[in-house]
Amino acid sequence: QVQLVESGGGSVQAGGSLRLSCAASWSTVGGHAMAWFRQAPGKEREGVACLDPDDGYTNYVASVKGRFTISQDSAKNTLYLQMNALNPDDTGMYYCAARPGIFGNSFCFVQRVYDDWGQGTQVTVSS
């Protein structure tokens, strides 16, 4: 089992930027597909962005395309989410997660196949 620890959340005004980090306890990032999910107050958790380091595949939920960028640094075993042009709808708890390689990119936002989850980092965007 891998331990994932998120950081980088905070409070920003609309239009601002944040970069989230997710540190893995072992070489998860290099060998497993990873994703960021978020949960807004009173809403279900949703997929935000996913990445497969084996082929460089990335995918984003429509609401963040062009504003968020998912990336990874294998040498540091760290996953990132660069978030620009933030708006209040981006407010929520952000989680990183890892899924086994047997699940392909079609499972990008299928939460049940993700075995390992971080504790989350809070992002609050004010208008």
Side-chain angles (χ1 to χ4, degrees), residues 31-112:
H32 289 66
M34 305 285 293
W36 288 97
F37 294 84
R38 68 184 178 189
Q39 187 166 22
K43 295 186 178 180
E44 293 186 353
R45 188 166 57 190
E46 67 169 347
V48 176
C50 69
L51 175 148
D52 186 335
D54 287 342
D55 59 13
Y57 171 88
T58 60
N59 194 18
Y60 300 88
V61 67
S63 61
V64 308
K65 283 183 179 179
R67 300 188 297 121
F68 290 13
T69 302
I70 188 172
S71 62
Q72 54 106 4
D73 184 334
S74 296
K76 296 182 179 179
N77 295 333
T78 301
L79 180 74
Y80 301 102
L81 185 67
Q82 178 66 44
M83 306 186 296
N84 298 327
L86 286 161
N87 62 64
D89 289 338
D90 296 316
T91 293
M93 187 70 77
Y94 283 69
Y95 302 89
C96 68
R99 73 175 191 264
I102 60 172
F103 295 105
N105 293 327
S106 61
F107 290 89
C108 172
F109 292 143
V110 178
Q111 298 185 40
R112 61 178 174 82

